[in-house]
């Protein structure tokens, strides 16, 4: 079975009920994932002037120098860069990219693919093997061990596949193409900064959209959130599972994770529930297509008074605030989600992704 990272990073927004507007982990670049074997219409792209591409690289070099990147790194990288038309084709061929209002598919098939027996089994093995280190990271961040493992499993199938695109070449090409020039210019320069820190270009590979390492961080996110988890003084998210998991925990901590609060639970919803009464009346400035699918916030005690109760053994605190999401509509599996669910959305702004991470985490620790 394919790992999520084999799908790369511009399509989860369209399969999870989202929009390309994230400013969390993926900012706007890594919210969506493409399905392999999608026809790539590279031949239909307008040929690129190499002279124009070189001039743009000169501009990037000047910006990088101004931000403290060493001339040594710039001189080593810039002359070797060539335009990657395949990356641009992958970007343009994303399902839903031409129609952000396309119907959202069903969640259940997605859940069955991504919270399957193989991923659960491997997750439990990783969980048991790394328990001492995971416990230490949880003590530092408040993020449950199983949630860190579940994100690791979703992003790279527990390190099985993290992508093989040369980040420098991919990000330079995406920046030159221009539709998200500011974003990709930042990520390209951040890649050069990683080289200045001693990470060789050969190690700096990942998805075509720039996500890299076991946690699939964008380079700028690495600079902000990467953590040394194994105590060797270096945050190597490409080779060290401890570093990768510590970095995931650190990211979620800064995203507002509240220790001791579950991400959410599957819920029983009575047929009599008046959904107009619980409809959210706020508009989210970030990922609005994701958040519009949630109800307004109520306490768990208020939900219980309406007959919406936890479907399994796990219970949420009476005072905890939660929203209701029914990803496949009324009469289908529903979930009460807390503020910690929002921290997972900050990592990847997709309801399908966040629900699958939470459900996989529950399976991994049981």
């Amino acid at each position: 079975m394919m790992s999520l990272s084999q799908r790369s990073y511009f399509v989860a927004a369209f399969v999870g009920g989202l929009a390309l507007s994230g400013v969390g982990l993926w900012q706007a670049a890594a919210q969506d994932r493409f399905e392999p074997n999608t026809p790539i219409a590279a031949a239909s792209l307008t040929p690129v002037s190499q002279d124009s591409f070189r001039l743009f690289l000169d501009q990037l070099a000047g910006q990088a120098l101004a931000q403290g990147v060493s001339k040594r790194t710039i001189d080593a990288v810039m002359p070797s860069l060539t335009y990657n038309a395949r990356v641009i084709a992958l970007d343009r061929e994303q399902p839903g990219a031409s129609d952000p209002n396309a119907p959202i598919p069903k969640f259940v098939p997605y859940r069955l693919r991504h919270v399957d027996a193989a991923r659960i089994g491997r997750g439990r093995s990783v969980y048991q093997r790394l328990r001492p280190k995971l416990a230490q990271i949880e003590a530092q961040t408040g993020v449950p061990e199983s949630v860190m493992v579940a994100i690791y499993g979703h992003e790279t199938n527990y390190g099985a596949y993290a992508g093989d695109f040369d980040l420098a070449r991919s990000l330079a090409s995406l920046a030159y193409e221009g539709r998200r020039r500011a974003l990709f210019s930042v990520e390209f320069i951040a890649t050069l900064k990683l080289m200045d820190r001693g990470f060789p270009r050969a190690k700096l590979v990942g998805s075509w959209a720039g996500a890299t390492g076991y946690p699939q961080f964008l380079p700028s996110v690495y600079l902000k959130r990467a953590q040394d988890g194994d105590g060797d003084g270096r945050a190597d998210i490409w080779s060290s599972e401890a570093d990768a998991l510590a970095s995931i925990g650190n990211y979620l901590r800064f995203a507002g994770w509240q220790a001791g609060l579950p991400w959410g639970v599957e819920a029983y919803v009575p047929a009599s529930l008046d959904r107009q009464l619980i409809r959210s009346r706020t508009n989210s400035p970030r990922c609005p297509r994701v958040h519009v699918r949630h109800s307004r916030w109520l306490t768990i005690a208020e939900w219980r008074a309406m007959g919406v109760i936890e479907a399994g053994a796990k219970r949420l605190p009476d005072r905890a605030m939660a929203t209701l999401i029914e990803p496949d509509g009324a009469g289908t599996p529903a979930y009460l989600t807390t503020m910690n669910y929002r921290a997972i959305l900050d990592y990847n702004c997709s309801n399908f992704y966040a629900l699958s991470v939470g459900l996989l985490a529950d399976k991994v620790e049981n």
Side-chain angles (χ1 to χ4, degrees):
M1 187 183 68
M2 285 176 298
S3 69
L4 276 176
S5 61
Q6 285 175 297
R7 300 177 198 151
S8 204
Y9 292 84
F10 280 90
V11 187
F14 300 102
V15 297
L18 342 141
L20 270 177
S21 60
V23 292
L25 172 58
W26 309 121
Q27 304 198 17
Q31 296 186 32
D32 300 321
R33 295 176 160 84
F34 79 99
E35 295 294 339
N37 303 319
T38 298
I40 303 302
S44 67
L45 298 176
T46 303
V48 168
S49 162
Q50 291 304 312
D51 288 342
S52 176
F53 184 59
R54 298 313 313 176
L55 285 173
F56 176 71
L57 291 181
D58 289 343
Q59 295 175 17
L60 279 181
Q63 294 173 30
L65 278 171
Q67 293 183 36
V69 176
S70 71
K71 190 173 185 302
R72 179 189 69 256
T73 293
I74 290 171
D75 289 346
V77 174
M78 291 303 195
S80 66
L81 291 176
T82 57
Y83 182 78
N84 191 334
R86 182 167 182 263
V87 164
I88 305 307
L90 288 169
D91 181 18
R92 295 184 183 181
E93 291 290 334
Q94 295 319 295
S98 61
D99 182 9
N101 296 313
I104 298 167
K106 296 295 185 182
F107 171 60
V108 168
Y110 181 98
R111 185 194 71 203
L112 293 175
R113 290 195 306 272
H114 298 109
V115 191
D116 62 313
R119 202 181 301 268
I120 293 167
R122 290 196 66 188
R124 287 172 176 169
S125 295
V126 171
Y127 180 69
Q128 293 301 326
R129 176 168 55 83
L130 297 176
R131 284 302 299 278
K133 179 54 63 178
L134 285 165
Q136 179 183 345
I137 299 168
E138 179 173 349
Q140 293 169 344
T141 65
V143 178
E145 303 169 44
S146 59
V147 170
M148 292 181 277
V149 170
I151 287 179
Y152 182 28
H154 270 68
E155 293 303 330
T156 57
N157 201 8
Y158 310 105
Y161 187 85
D164 57 7
F165 283 85
D166 173 13
L167 294 190
R169 186 183 181 212
S170 295
L171 291 167
S173 300
L174 288 163
Y176 173 78
E177 190 267 350
R179 284 183 297 157
R180 286 172 292 277
R181 177 163 291 178
L183 168 68
F184 288 118
S185 294
V186 166
E187 298 306 333
F188 174 79
I189 293 171
T191 302
L192 298 181
K193 292 177 180 178
L194 292 181
M195 294 180 195
D196 266 353
R197 292 191 178 193
F199 293 109
R201 183 173 173 182
K203 175 168 275 192
L204 300 179
V205 296
S207 80
W208 58 265
T212 188
Y214 292 154
Q216 292 290 273
F217 278 5
L218 289 175
S220 66
V221 175
Y222 174 94
L223 295 173
K224 294 175 183 175
R225 299 289 181 252
Q227 290 286 295
D228 172 21
D230 56 21
D232 67 355
R234 186 177 179 84
D236 185 349
I237 63 171
W238 302 269
S239 304
S240 169
E241 287 182 305
D243 290 356
L245 291 162
S247 298
I248 291 170
N250 190 51
Y251 183 91
L252 292 175
R253 178 172 70 91
F254 275 92
W257 192 277
Q258 298 178 23
L261 180 67
W263 67 270
V265 294
E266 187 169 348
Y268 165 78
V269 179
S272 59
L273 181 68
D274 183 351
R275 287 169 179 78
Q276 284 301 312
L277 187 64
I278 63 169
R279 184 171 61 86
S280 176
R281 292 173 174 78
T282 60
N283 295 316
S284 173
R286 178 176 180 268
C287 304
R289 203 175 180 209
V290 175
H291 292 95
V292 75
R293 307 192 71 195
H294 290 256
S295 73
R296 65 190 180 97
W297 290 95
L298 295 170
T299 67
I300 293 299
E302 289 172 323
W303 283 117
R304 289 181 183 138
M306 292 182 173
V308 179
I309 59 175
E310 298 93 331
K314 185 166 68 170
R315 291 291 180 265
L316 297 175
D318 286 353
R319 293 185 178 182
M321 301 296 294
T323 62
L324 179 70
I325 179 170
E326 299 172 286
D328 291 342
T332 66
Y335 304 89
L336 286 169
T337 67
T338 70
M339 287 301 298
N340 284 345
Y341 179 89
R342 294 304 196 274
I344 302 173
L345 284 180
D346 195 77
Y347 200 101
N348 187 327
C349 203
S350 158
N351 281 312
F352 285 15
Y353 177 91
L355 286 171
S356 294
V357 164
L359 293 169
L360 179 60
D362 290 347
K363 295 289 187 181
V364 162
E365 69 179 351
N366 293 324

